[in-house]
């Protein structure tokens, strides 16, 4: 419907039935492939988030060390 634009009520019911049948057949045939694609994408996102989190944690630790060193030197 999006590709064709707006359709009348009669056209939608006929097109909807045909497209539902085609979607069911297509979805069954490549469901495993689609699932694999999404799982791989999720794994990549989680890997990137983990790398960024580790980098942020290292940077935060460095900042805290600098603050602690500054406080130790100023109290001496």
């Amino acid at each position: 419907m999006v590709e064709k634009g707006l359709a009348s009520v009669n056209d939608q019911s006929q097109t909807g039935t045909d497209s539902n049948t085609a979607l069911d057949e297509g979805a069954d045939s490549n469901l495993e492939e689609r699932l694999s694609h999404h799982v791989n994408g999720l794994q990549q996102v989680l890997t990137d988030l983990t790398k960024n989190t580790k980098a942020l944690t290292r940077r935060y630790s460095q900042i805290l060390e600098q603050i602690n060193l500054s406080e130790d030197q100023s109290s001496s």
Side-chain angles (χ1 to χ4, degrees):
M1 186 163 106
V2 173
E3 293 175 359
K4 295 179 183 179
L6 296 177
S8 70
V9 174
N10 293 337
D11 290 343
Q12 287 179 352
S13 63
Q14 291 173 354
T15 305
T17 304
D18 294 342
S19 63
N20 286 343
T21 304
L23 286 175
D24 289 343
E25 291 171 3
D28 289 342
S29 67
N30 67 357
L31 184 60
E32 185 176 340
E33 181 181 328
R34 290 173 37 204
L35 177 62
S36 176
H37 174 76
H38 287 291
V39 169
N40 287 336
L42 179 60
Q43 181 183 10
Q44 184 62 46
V45 167
L46 292 175
T47 299
D48 291 346
L49 286 173
T50 301
K51 288 178 184 178
N52 290 338
T53 301
K54 287 179 180 179
L56 183 61
T57 301
R58 279 193 304 272
R59 182 66 182 135
Y60 183 73
S61 295
Q62 291 172 351
I63 291 170
L64 287 178
E65 287 176 14
Q66 290 175 352
I67 291 172
N68 288 335
L69 288 175
S70 297
E71 288 177 353
D72 288 345
Q73 290 176 356
S74 64
S75 65
S76 299

